[in-house]
Every structure is written in structure tokens, then in C-alpha cells.
Amino acid sequence: RNKGCCTALRTMVAEESRADEPKATTDATPMDAEAAPAPPEPVNPVATYMAVLKPALAVLDRLVSTKEARYAVHALRSLGTMRKMSRSDPAASKSALTTAVSTYFGPNHPQRAVLLEMLAAVPAEASATAAADVSEPEPEKRRALLPEAELFLSLLVLLLLIDAATAEQAAACSAALLARLAGFNRRTLDLIAEKVYFYASWAHERLFWVAFIPPT
């Protein structure tokens, strides 16, 4: 009986000794097991600009088909977003607008060459985020550009010139835009025309040419 008690005691002592020994870990810790997060993909500012512009142009189509002013309001709200993009990265906005004008204005459109020439006046210093080369998207089945879309795109060019070019270049753009606007008589242009007059006045005030603006 004493022999059995001694054997049991030795067994307990051995088990306690093994329990106190550090355990060898072969499994990685949860932090080591987690894979390092993939670096975020670089944001293309040109694509971001176009992602705001295209829905605005689609809304202008709805404006013309329904004659509901709320669609004009919705499209004009995007001006602020795109202007912030232009201020933070003029080179990217220049690339986006050059692509848009080249895509939406037909080869024989009277304003195509005018707007492209004005966009060429915007400084094109390379930025850390602007794409080096922007390929023009494949044109869809081309149709006549609506005056609402034409003036909206022209207004975006004017805003870019106001923020990124000289006062003379912005004033020249506003004069051409006002002359183009005078050739239309469409009620669906009313809200867009208000913005055109506002920013055209602003562009001319920078040169103290307020008297140039015709009465509305």
C-alpha cells in the first residue's frame, strides 16, 4: 500500500513539473496570421471628375424631355463638387474636360475648337495624382448635343479658367459663352443661364469690365 502511494505521488509531481514547463508554440499569433492589408489603389482624379460629370449630363437629358426645372437644379448642384476638384487638381480637371469636349462635341460643332483652345490655356503642370495620359473613351452613337449640355460643359470650362488661368482668359471665355447663350431661346435653359450670367459677371469684374455684361 505504501509503495502504491509513493508511485502515485511521484506521478503527480512529474505532471506538475511538466505543467510548469513553457509550451512550445507552433501556431502564429492572430496578428501574425492576419495578412497585411493590401495598399489602396491610387485614385484617378480624371475618372472621379467624369464620374460626377456624366450623371449630370444624363439629368440634363431628363430636363429636356420632362421640362421639369428640378432636374436643372439637380445638375447644377454638381458644379460645386467639380469646382472643388478643379481647384485641388487643375491639371486633372483640364484632362477630364478636354476629353468631355472632344467626346460630346461633334467634329463640326462651332464651339468645339473654341473650348479646346481655351482649355489649352490652363497650365498643365503634372501633379502627383493626375494621370499622365488620358485616353478618350470610345464615342457612343453620336447625336446632336443638347444646348443645355453644351452650356453646362462650357460653364465648367469657364469655372476652370476663373480658378486656374488668367483673368483675361476667363473674360474671353465668358464673352464667347454669353454670345453663344444669346442664340438660344429655350425655357429649359433658364436656370443654367442664371449661372452663366453670374460667373460671366464675376470673370469680367476681375477686369473691371462690368459694363460689358448685357442686361438679362
Side-chain angles (χ1 to χ4, degrees), residues 63-170:
L63 166 67
V64 174
S65 62
T66 63
K67 305 297 189 294
E68 295 184 26
R70 62 191 177 96
Y71 290 114
V73 174
H74 182 74
L76 292 171
R77 283 176 184 164
S78 63
L79 287 177
T81 300
M82 286 185 280
R83 192 175 186 194
K84 287 180 181 178
M85 296 178 185
S86 296
R87 286 175 167 174
S88 63
D89 199 340
S93 296
K94 174 183 177 178
S95 296
L97 284 173
T98 300
T99 298
V101 171
S102 300
T103 302
Y104 293 107
F105 287 73
N108 299 322
H109 196 288
Q111 291 298 103
R112 177 188 170 106
V114 174
L115 293 176
L116 291 177
E117 181 180 357
M118 291 176 179
L119 285 168
V122 178
E125 290 84 357
S127 68
T129 55
D133 296 310
V134 180
S135 58
E136 180 176 332
E138 298 208 356
E140 302 172 357
K141 188 175 181 181
R142 198 178 294 277
R143 58 173 179 161
L145 183 66
L146 294 173
E148 291 76 12
E150 174 192 332
L151 292 179
F152 186 82
L153 287 166
S154 300
L155 182 56
L156 288 172
V157 173
L158 174 59
L159 290 176
L160 179 60
L161 291 173
I162 288 174
D163 293 328
T166 66
E168 289 80 4
Q169 291 163 337

Side-chain angles (χ1 to χ4, degrees), residues 4-41:
C5 291
C6 291
T7 303
L9 181 59
R10 284 196 297 270
T11 303
M12 292 177 60
V13 171
E15 290 178 354
E16 290 177 359
S17 299
R18 286 195 296 269
D20 292 337
E21 292 178 358
K23 295 182 179 180
T25 56
T26 56
D27 297 334
T29 62
M31 293 185 63
D32 295 334
E34 292 180 0
E41 295 183 3

